[in-house]
Short mmCIF file of all heavy atoms in Angstrom, two decimals:
data_model
loop_
_atom_site.label_atom_id
_atom_site.label_comp_id
_atom_site.label_asym_id
_atom_site.label_seq_id
_atom_site.Cartn_x
_atom_site.Cartn_y
_atom_site.Cartn_z
N LYS B 1 0.84 -1.20 0.00
CA LYS B 1 0.00 0.00 0.00
C LYS B 1 0.88 1.25 0.00
O LYS B 1 1.82 1.35 0.77
CB LYS B 1 -0.89 -0.02 1.25
CG LYS B 1 -1.85 1.14 1.32
CD LYS B 1 -2.66 1.07 2.62
CE LYS B 1 -3.48 2.34 2.77
NZ LYS B 1 -4.19 2.38 4.05
N GLN B 2 0.54 2.18 -0.87
CA GLN B 2 1.29 3.44 -0.94
C GLN B 2 1.05 4.25 0.32
O GLN B 2 -0.10 4.37 0.78
CB GLN B 2 0.83 4.22 -2.17
CG GLN B 2 1.46 5.59 -2.38
CD GLN B 2 2.89 5.52 -2.86
OE1 GLN B 2 3.79 5.43 -2.04
NE2 GLN B 2 3.10 5.61 -4.17
N GLU B 3 2.11 4.81 0.87
CA GLU B 3 1.96 5.70 2.03
C GLU B 3 2.71 7.00 1.75
O GLU B 3 3.81 6.99 1.19
CB GLU B 3 2.51 5.03 3.28
CG GLU B 3 1.67 3.84 3.73
CD GLU B 3 2.20 3.18 5.00
OE1 GLU B 3 3.17 3.68 5.56
OE2 GLU B 3 1.61 2.17 5.41
N VAL B 4 2.09 8.10 2.16
CA VAL B 4 2.66 9.43 1.93
C VAL B 4 2.84 10.13 3.27
O VAL B 4 1.90 10.19 4.07
CB VAL B 4 1.75 10.26 1.01
CG1 VAL B 4 2.33 11.65 0.80
CG2 VAL B 4 1.55 9.56 -0.33
N THR B 5 4.04 10.64 3.49
CA THR B 5 4.36 11.30 4.74
C THR B 5 4.79 12.73 4.47
O THR B 5 5.60 12.98 3.56
CB THR B 5 5.50 10.56 5.48
OG1 THR B 5 5.10 9.20 5.70
CG2 THR B 5 5.79 11.21 6.82
N GLN B 6 4.27 13.67 5.25
CA GLN B 6 4.66 15.06 5.09
C GLN B 6 5.28 15.57 6.40
O GLN B 6 4.73 15.39 7.48
CB GLN B 6 3.46 15.93 4.73
CG GLN B 6 2.93 15.64 3.34
CD GLN B 6 1.85 16.60 2.93
OE1 GLN B 6 0.70 16.23 2.75
NE2 GLN B 6 2.25 17.87 2.74
N ILE B 7 6.44 16.17 6.24
CA ILE B 7 7.17 16.71 7.38
C ILE B 7 7.60 18.14 7.05
O ILE B 7 8.07 18.39 5.94
CB ILE B 7 8.43 15.86 7.68
CG1 ILE B 7 8.01 14.46 8.14
CG2 ILE B 7 9.30 16.52 8.73
CD1 ILE B 7 9.16 13.50 8.29
N PRO B 8 7.43 19.12 8.01
CA PRO B 8 6.82 18.93 9.33
C PRO B 8 5.30 18.96 9.26
O PRO B 8 4.73 19.33 8.24
CB PRO B 8 7.36 20.14 10.11
CG PRO B 8 7.46 21.21 9.06
CD PRO B 8 7.88 20.50 7.79
N ALA B 9 4.64 18.61 10.36
CA ALA B 9 3.18 18.68 10.42
C ALA B 9 2.71 20.13 10.49
O ALA B 9 1.63 20.46 10.03
CB ALA B 9 2.66 17.90 11.61
N ALA B 10 3.53 20.98 11.10
CA ALA B 10 3.20 22.41 11.21
C ALA B 10 4.48 23.21 11.15
O ALA B 10 5.54 22.74 11.57
CB ALA B 10 2.45 22.69 12.51
N LEU B 11 4.35 24.42 10.61
CA LEU B 11 5.52 25.27 10.41
C LEU B 11 5.09 26.73 10.55
O LEU B 11 4.07 27.13 9.97
CB LEU B 11 6.09 25.03 9.01
CG LEU B 11 7.32 25.81 8.57
CD1 LEU B 11 8.51 25.44 9.44
CD2 LEU B 11 7.64 25.49 7.11
N SER B 12 5.86 27.49 11.31
CA SER B 12 5.57 28.91 11.48
C SER B 12 6.81 29.70 11.10
O SER B 12 7.90 29.42 11.62
CB SER B 12 5.17 29.18 12.94
OG SER B 12 4.80 30.53 13.11
N VAL B 13 6.66 30.65 10.19
CA VAL B 13 7.81 31.42 9.71
C VAL B 13 7.45 32.90 9.65
O VAL B 13 6.27 33.25 9.48
CB VAL B 13 8.26 30.95 8.30
CG1 VAL B 13 8.66 29.48 8.32
CG2 VAL B 13 7.18 31.21 7.26
N PRO B 14 8.44 33.79 9.77
CA PRO B 14 8.15 35.22 9.58
C PRO B 14 8.00 35.54 8.11
O PRO B 14 8.59 34.89 7.24
CB PRO B 14 9.38 35.90 10.19
CG PRO B 14 10.46 34.88 10.12
CD PRO B 14 9.82 33.54 10.21
N GLU B 15 7.21 36.54 7.84
CA GLU B 15 6.98 36.99 6.47
C GLU B 15 8.29 37.28 5.76
O GLU B 15 9.22 37.85 6.34
CB GLU B 15 6.11 38.24 6.50
CG GLU B 15 5.76 38.81 5.14
CD GLU B 15 4.84 40.03 5.25
OE1 GLU B 15 4.50 40.43 6.39
OE2 GLU B 15 4.46 40.57 4.20
N GLY B 16 8.35 36.89 4.50
CA GLY B 16 9.54 37.17 3.70
C GLY B 16 10.53 36.02 3.62
O GLY B 16 11.39 36.01 2.73
N GLU B 17 10.38 35.05 4.51
CA GLU B 17 11.31 33.91 4.48
C GLU B 17 10.99 32.97 3.33
O GLU B 17 9.85 32.82 2.94
CB GLU B 17 11.23 33.12 5.79
CG GLU B 17 12.21 33.58 6.82
CD GLU B 17 12.52 32.50 7.85
OE1 GLU B 17 12.13 31.33 7.67
OE2 GLU B 17 13.16 32.86 8.85
N ASN B 18 12.04 32.31 2.84
CA ASN B 18 11.87 31.21 1.90
C ASN B 18 11.71 29.93 2.72
O ASN B 18 12.31 29.79 3.79
CB ASN B 18 13.10 31.07 1.00
CG ASN B 18 13.38 32.35 0.22
OD1 ASN B 18 12.46 33.07 -0.17
ND2 ASN B 18 14.66 32.66 0.03
N LEU B 19 10.89 29.00 2.26
CA LEU B 19 10.68 27.80 3.05
C LEU B 19 10.50 26.58 2.15
O LEU B 19 10.18 26.70 0.95
CB LEU B 19 9.45 27.98 3.97
CG LEU B 19 8.13 28.26 3.29
CD1 LEU B 19 7.30 27.00 3.23
CD2 LEU B 19 7.36 29.34 4.04
N VAL B 20 10.69 25.43 2.76
CA VAL B 20 10.58 24.16 2.05
C VAL B 20 9.67 23.22 2.81
O VAL B 20 9.83 23.02 4.02
CB VAL B 20 11.97 23.50 1.88
CG1 VAL B 20 11.83 22.11 1.27
CG2 VAL B 20 12.86 24.37 1.01
N LEU B 21 8.72 22.65 2.10
CA LEU B 21 7.86 21.60 2.66
C LEU B 21 8.26 20.28 2.04
O LEU B 21 8.53 20.21 0.83
CB LEU B 21 6.39 21.91 2.37
CG LEU B 21 5.89 23.30 2.79
CD1 LEU B 21 4.41 23.43 2.45
CD2 LEU B 21 6.13 23.54 4.26
N ASN B 22 8.25 19.23 2.85
CA ASN B 22 8.73 17.93 2.39
C ASN B 22 7.61 16.90 2.29
O ASN B 22 6.67 16.89 3.09
CB ASN B 22 9.79 17.40 3.36
CG ASN B 22 11.01 18.28 3.38
OD1 ASN B 22 11.73 18.38 2.40
ND2 ASN B 22 11.24 18.95 4.50
N CYS B 23 7.76 16.02 1.32
CA CYS B 23 6.81 14.94 1.10
C CYS B 23 7.61 13.70 0.72
O CYS B 23 8.51 13.79 -0.13
CB CYS B 23 5.83 15.32 -0.01
SG CYS B 23 4.74 14.01 -0.57
N SER B 24 7.30 12.57 1.33
CA SER B 24 7.95 11.32 0.93
C SER B 24 6.89 10.25 0.71
O SER B 24 5.81 10.29 1.32
CB SER B 24 8.96 10.86 1.99
OG SER B 24 8.32 10.60 3.22
N PHE B 25 7.19 9.30 -0.17
CA PHE B 25 6.25 8.23 -0.48
C PHE B 25 6.99 6.92 -0.55
O PHE B 25 8.19 6.88 -0.87
CB PHE B 25 5.47 8.52 -1.77
CG PHE B 25 6.30 9.02 -2.91
CD1 PHE B 25 6.78 8.15 -3.88
CD2 PHE B 25 6.59 10.38 -3.04
CE1 PHE B 25 7.54 8.62 -4.94
CE2 PHE B 25 7.35 10.85 -4.09
CZ PHE B 25 7.83 9.97 -5.05
N THR B 26 6.28 5.83 -0.27
CA THR B 26 6.94 4.54 -0.08
C THR B 26 7.14 3.75 -1.37
O THR B 26 8.10 2.99 -1.49
CB THR B 26 6.16 3.68 0.92
OG1 THR B 26 4.80 3.58 0.48
CG2 THR B 26 6.20 4.28 2.31
N ASP B 27 6.24 3.92 -2.33
CA ASP B 27 6.34 3.17 -3.58
C ASP B 27 6.67 4.15 -4.71
O ASP B 27 5.88 5.04 -5.00
CB ASP B 27 5.02 2.44 -3.88
CG ASP B 27 5.13 1.45 -5.03
OD1 ASP B 27 5.92 1.70 -5.97
OD2 ASP B 27 4.41 0.44 -5.01
N SER B 28 7.82 3.98 -5.34
CA SER B 28 8.28 4.95 -6.33
C SER B 28 7.62 4.77 -7.70
O SER B 28 7.84 5.57 -8.60
CB SER B 28 9.80 4.85 -6.48
OG SER B 28 10.17 3.56 -6.94
N ALA B 29 6.79 3.74 -7.87
CA ALA B 29 6.14 3.51 -9.16
C ALA B 29 4.91 4.40 -9.31
O ALA B 29 3.78 3.91 -9.43
CB ALA B 29 5.75 2.03 -9.28
N ILE B 30 5.12 5.69 -9.33
CA ILE B 30 4.00 6.63 -9.39
C ILE B 30 3.86 7.19 -10.80
O ILE B 30 4.80 7.18 -11.59
CB ILE B 30 4.17 7.79 -8.38
CG1 ILE B 30 5.39 8.65 -8.75
CG2 ILE B 30 4.29 7.25 -6.97
CD1 ILE B 30 5.45 9.96 -7.96
N TYR B 31 2.66 7.70 -11.10
CA TYR B 31 2.42 8.34 -12.38
C TYR B 31 2.65 9.85 -12.29
O TYR B 31 3.13 10.48 -13.22
CB TYR B 31 0.98 8.07 -12.83
CG TYR B 31 0.72 6.61 -13.07
CD1 TYR B 31 0.06 5.83 -12.12
CD2 TYR B 31 1.13 5.98 -14.25
CE1 TYR B 31 -0.16 4.49 -12.33
CE2 TYR B 31 0.90 4.64 -14.46
CZ TYR B 31 0.26 3.90 -13.49
OH TYR B 31 0.03 2.57 -13.70
N ASN B 32 2.21 10.44 -11.18
CA ASN B 32 2.44 11.86 -10.98
C ASN B 32 2.30 12.21 -9.50
O ASN B 32 1.92 11.35 -8.69
CB ASN B 32 1.47 12.72 -11.83
CG ASN B 32 0.02 12.46 -11.51
OD1 ASN B 32 -0.38 12.51 -10.35
ND2 ASN B 32 -0.79 12.21 -12.53
N LEU B 33 2.61 13.44 -9.17
CA LEU B 33 2.51 13.94 -7.81
C LEU B 33 1.89 15.32 -7.87
O LEU B 33 2.24 16.14 -8.73
CB LEU B 33 3.89 13.99 -7.16
CG LEU B 33 3.96 14.45 -5.69
CD1 LEU B 33 5.08 13.68 -4.96
CD2 LEU B 33 4.17 15.93 -5.56
N GLN B 34 0.95 15.58 -6.97
CA GLN B 34 0.29 16.88 -6.93
C GLN B 34 0.50 17.53 -5.57
O GLN B 34 0.43 16.84 -4.54
CB GLN B 34 -1.22 16.73 -7.16
CG GLN B 34 -1.65 16.76 -8.60
CD GLN B 34 -3.16 16.80 -8.77
OE1 GLN B 34 -3.83 15.79 -8.83
NE2 GLN B 34 -3.72 17.98 -8.87
N TRP B 35 0.66 18.84 -5.58
CA TRP B 35 0.61 19.64 -4.37
C TRP B 35 -0.67 20.45 -4.37
O TRP B 35 -1.02 21.07 -5.38
CB TRP B 35 1.81 20.58 -4.30
CG TRP B 35 3.08 19.90 -3.87
CD1 TRP B 35 4.06 19.39 -4.68
CD2 TRP B 35 3.52 19.68 -2.52
NE1 TRP B 35 5.07 18.86 -3.92
CE2 TRP B 35 4.77 19.02 -2.60
CE3 TRP B 35 2.99 19.97 -1.26
CZ2 TRP B 35 5.49 18.65 -1.46
CZ3 TRP B 35 3.71 19.60 -0.14
CH2 TRP B 35 4.94 18.96 -0.24
N PHE B 36 -1.37 20.43 -3.22
CA PHE B 36 -2.62 21.16 -3.06
C PHE B 36 -2.47 22.14 -1.89
O PHE B 36 -1.69 21.93 -0.97
CB PHE B 36 -3.78 20.21 -2.72
CG PHE B 36 -4.17 19.27 -3.81
CD1 PHE B 36 -3.56 18.02 -3.92
CD2 PHE B 36 -5.17 19.59 -4.71
CE1 PHE B 36 -3.94 17.13 -4.90
CE2 PHE B 36 -5.55 18.70 -5.70
CZ PHE B 36 -4.94 17.47 -5.79
N ARG B 37 -3.33 23.13 -1.93
CA ARG B 37 -3.47 24.05 -0.81
C ARG B 37 -4.89 23.93 -0.29
O ARG B 37 -5.84 23.84 -1.08
CB ARG B 37 -3.21 25.48 -1.30
CG ARG B 37 -3.56 26.55 -0.30
CD ARG B 37 -3.45 27.93 -0.87
NE ARG B 37 -3.97 28.89 0.07
CZ ARG B 37 -3.38 30.02 0.39
NH1 ARG B 37 -2.22 30.35 -0.19
NH2 ARG B 37 -3.92 30.84 1.26
N GLN B 38 -5.04 23.91 1.05
CA GLN B 38 -6.37 23.86 1.65
C GLN B 38 -6.47 24.96 2.70
O GLN B 38 -5.72 24.96 3.68
CB GLN B 38 -6.66 22.50 2.27
CG GLN B 38 -8.08 22.38 2.80
CD GLN B 38 -8.41 20.98 3.30
OE1 GLN B 38 -7.54 20.23 3.71
NE2 GLN B 38 -9.69 20.63 3.26
N ASP B 39 -7.41 25.86 2.51
CA ASP B 39 -7.68 26.90 3.50
C ASP B 39 -8.74 26.38 4.48
O ASP B 39 -9.55 25.54 4.12
CB ASP B 39 -8.16 28.18 2.81
CG ASP B 39 -7.05 28.81 1.99
OD1 ASP B 39 -6.17 29.42 2.60
OD2 ASP B 39 -7.05 28.66 0.75
N PRO B 40 -8.73 26.88 5.72
CA PRO B 40 -9.65 26.36 6.75
C PRO B 40 -11.10 26.35 6.27
O PRO B 40 -11.61 27.38 5.79
CB PRO B 40 -9.44 27.32 7.92
CG PRO B 40 -8.06 27.84 7.74
CD PRO B 40 -7.85 27.94 6.26
N GLY B 41 -11.76 25.22 6.40
CA GLY B 41 -13.16 25.11 6.03
C GLY B 41 -13.42 25.15 4.53
O GLY B 41 -14.58 25.29 4.12
N LYS B 42 -12.38 25.04 3.75
CA LYS B 42 -12.54 25.14 2.29
C LYS B 42 -12.09 23.85 1.60
O LYS B 42 -11.53 22.95 2.21
CB LYS B 42 -11.72 26.32 1.75
CG LYS B 42 -12.10 27.66 2.34
CD LYS B 42 -13.44 28.14 1.82
CE LYS B 42 -13.88 29.45 2.42
NZ LYS B 42 -12.98 30.56 2.10
N GLY B 43 -12.30 23.82 0.30
CA GLY B 43 -11.84 22.68 -0.49
C GLY B 43 -10.37 22.79 -0.83
O GLY B 43 -9.67 23.67 -0.35
N LEU B 44 -9.92 21.90 -1.69
CA LEU B 44 -8.52 21.85 -2.09
C LEU B 44 -8.33 22.61 -3.40
O LEU B 44 -9.14 22.49 -4.31
CB LEU B 44 -8.07 20.40 -2.30
CG LEU B 44 -7.75 19.58 -1.07
CD1 LEU B 44 -8.97 19.30 -0.22
CD2 LEU B 44 -7.10 18.26 -1.50
N THR B 45 -7.23 23.33 -3.46
CA THR B 45 -6.85 24.02 -4.69
C THR B 45 -5.55 23.41 -5.19
O THR B 45 -4.57 23.36 -4.45
CB THR B 45 -6.64 25.52 -4.43
OG1 THR B 45 -7.85 26.08 -3.91
CG2 THR B 45 -6.26 26.24 -5.72
N SER B 46 -5.56 22.94 -6.42
CA SER B 46 -4.35 22.36 -6.99
C SER B 46 -3.32 23.45 -7.26
O SER B 46 -3.63 24.48 -7.86
CB SER B 46 -4.68 21.63 -8.29
OG SER B 46 -3.52 21.06 -8.85
N LEU B 47 -2.09 23.22 -6.80
CA LEU B 47 -1.01 24.19 -7.00
C LEU B 47 -0.10 23.77 -8.16
O LEU B 47 0.19 24.57 -9.04
CB LEU B 47 -0.18 24.31 -5.72
CG LEU B 47 -0.92 24.84 -4.49
CD1 LEU B 47 -0.02 24.75 -3.26
CD2 LEU B 47 -1.39 26.27 -4.71
N LEU B 48 0.36 22.54 -8.10
CA LEU B 48 1.31 22.06 -9.09
C LEU B 48 1.12 20.56 -9.27
O LEU B 48 0.83 19.85 -8.30
CB LEU B 48 2.76 22.32 -8.65
CG LEU B 48 3.22 23.78 -8.62
CD1 LEU B 48 4.48 23.92 -7.78
CD2 LEU B 48 3.49 24.28 -10.03
N LEU B 49 1.26 20.10 -10.50
CA LEU B 49 1.24 18.67 -10.80
C LEU B 49 2.54 18.34 -11.52
O LEU B 49 2.87 19.00 -12.52
CB LEU B 49 0.03 18.32 -11.65
CG LEU B 49 -0.16 16.84 -12.00
CD1 LEU B 49 -1.63 16.51 -12.14
CD2 LEU B 49 0.59 16.44 -13.27
N ILE B 50 3.27 17.36 -11.03
CA ILE B 50 4.52 16.94 -11.66
C ILE B 50 4.32 15.53 -12.19
O ILE B 50 3.99 14.60 -11.44
CB ILE B 50 5.69 16.92 -10.66
CG1 ILE B 50 5.76 18.21 -9.85
CG2 ILE B 50 7.00 16.68 -11.39
CD1 ILE B 50 6.86 18.20 -8.80
N GLN B 51 4.51 15.36 -13.48
CA GLN B 51 4.45 14.04 -14.07
C GLN B 51 5.69 13.24 -13.63
O GLN B 51 6.73 13.82 -13.33
CB GLN B 51 4.40 14.13 -15.60
CG GLN B 51 3.22 14.90 -16.15
CD GLN B 51 1.91 14.17 -15.98
OE1 GLN B 51 1.86 13.00 -15.59
NE2 GLN B 51 0.80 14.85 -16.27
N SER B 52 5.58 11.93 -13.67
CA SER B 52 6.68 11.08 -13.19
C SER B 52 7.96 11.27 -13.99
O SER B 52 9.06 11.03 -13.49
CB SER B 52 6.27 9.61 -13.21
OG SER B 52 5.99 9.20 -14.53
N SER B 53 7.82 11.73 -15.24
CA SER B 53 8.99 11.93 -16.09
C SER B 53 9.65 13.29 -15.87
O SER B 53 10.72 13.57 -16.41
CB SER B 53 8.59 11.81 -17.56
OG SER B 53 7.57 12.75 -17.86
N GLN B 54 9.00 14.15 -15.07
CA GLN B 54 9.53 15.49 -14.84
C GLN B 54 10.31 15.55 -13.53
O GLN B 54 10.10 14.75 -12.62
CB GLN B 54 8.37 16.51 -14.80
CG GLN B 54 7.62 16.60 -16.11
CD GLN B 54 6.41 17.50 -16.01
OE1 GLN B 54 5.65 17.43 -15.04
NE2 GLN B 54 6.21 18.34 -17.01
N ARG B 55 11.18 16.56 -13.44
CA ARG B 55 11.95 16.74 -12.21
C ARG B 55 11.39 17.89 -11.37
O ARG B 55 11.55 17.88 -10.15
CB ARG B 55 13.40 17.06 -12.57
CG ARG B 55 14.12 15.97 -13.32
CD ARG B 55 14.55 14.86 -12.41
NE ARG B 55 15.52 15.28 -11.42
CZ ARG B 55 16.14 14.43 -10.61
NH1 ARG B 55 15.90 13.15 -10.68
NH2 ARG B 55 17.00 14.87 -9.72
N GLU B 56 10.78 18.87 -12.04
CA GLU B 56 10.24 19.98 -11.28
C GLU B 56 9.19 20.73 -12.08
O GLU B 56 9.09 20.61 -13.31
CB GLU B 56 11.35 20.94 -10.83
CG GLU B 56 12.08 21.65 -11.93
CD GLU B 56 13.14 22.59 -11.36
OE1 GLU B 56 12.91 23.21 -10.30
OE2 GLU B 56 14.21 22.71 -11.99
N GLN B 57 8.40 21.54 -11.33
CA GLN B 57 7.41 22.41 -11.93
C GLN B 57 7.43 23.72 -11.14
O GLN B 57 7.64 23.72 -9.93
CB GLN B 57 6.00 21.81 -11.85
CG GLN B 57 5.67 20.78 -12.89
CD GLN B 57 5.34 21.38 -14.25
OE1 GLN B 57 5.27 22.59 -14.42
NE2 GLN B 57 5.15 20.52 -15.22
N THR B 58 7.17 24.82 -11.84
CA THR B 58 7.20 26.13 -11.21
C THR B 58 5.93 26.88 -11.53
O THR B 58 5.41 26.80 -12.66
CB THR B 58 8.42 26.94 -11.69
OG1 THR B 58 9.61 26.25 -11.32
CG2 THR B 58 8.43 28.32 -11.06
N SER B 59 5.42 27.60 -10.52
CA SER B 59 4.29 28.50 -10.73
C SER B 59 4.48 29.68 -9.80
O SER B 59 4.31 29.57 -8.59
CB SER B 59 2.97 27.78 -10.43
OG SER B 59 1.88 28.66 -10.54
N GLY B 60 4.84 30.83 -10.39
CA GLY B 60 5.04 32.02 -9.57
C GLY B 60 6.13 31.82 -8.53
O GLY B 60 7.26 31.45 -8.85
N ARG B 61 5.78 32.00 -7.26
CA ARG B 61 6.76 31.85 -6.17
C ARG B 61 6.89 30.40 -5.70
O ARG B 61 7.62 30.12 -4.75
CB ARG B 61 6.32 32.72 -4.98
CG ARG B 61 6.39 34.21 -5.25
CD ARG B 61 6.01 35.04 -4.02
NE ARG B 61 4.60 34.87 -3.65
CZ ARG B 61 4.20 34.19 -2.58
NH1 ARG B 61 5.06 33.64 -1.75
NH2 ARG B 61 2.91 34.11 -2.31
#
Side-chain angles (χ1 to χ4, degrees):
Chain B
K1 183 182 172 185
Q2 178 74 273
E3 292 181 3
V4 179
T5 302
Q6 292 187 246
I7 294 173
L11 180 64
S12 184
V13 300
E15 181 177 1
E17 268 203 11
N18 302 325
L19 59 101
V20 174
L21 306 181
N22 296 294
C23 172
S24 62
F25 45 95
T26 54
D27 190 328
S28 61
I30 66 168
Y31 297 100
N32 60 51
L33 182 145
Q34 272 188 272
W35 282 95
F36 293 89
R37 169 187 173 134
Q38 185 175 27
D39 292 284
K42 301 288 178 63
L44 282 67
T45 302
S46 180
L47 297 173
L48 290 162
L49 182 149
I50 311 177
Q51 301 289 352
S52 62
S53 57
Q54 297 175 316
R55 298 282 296 187
E56 64 179 324
Q57 280 282 356
T58 298
S59 176
R61 293 183 294 108

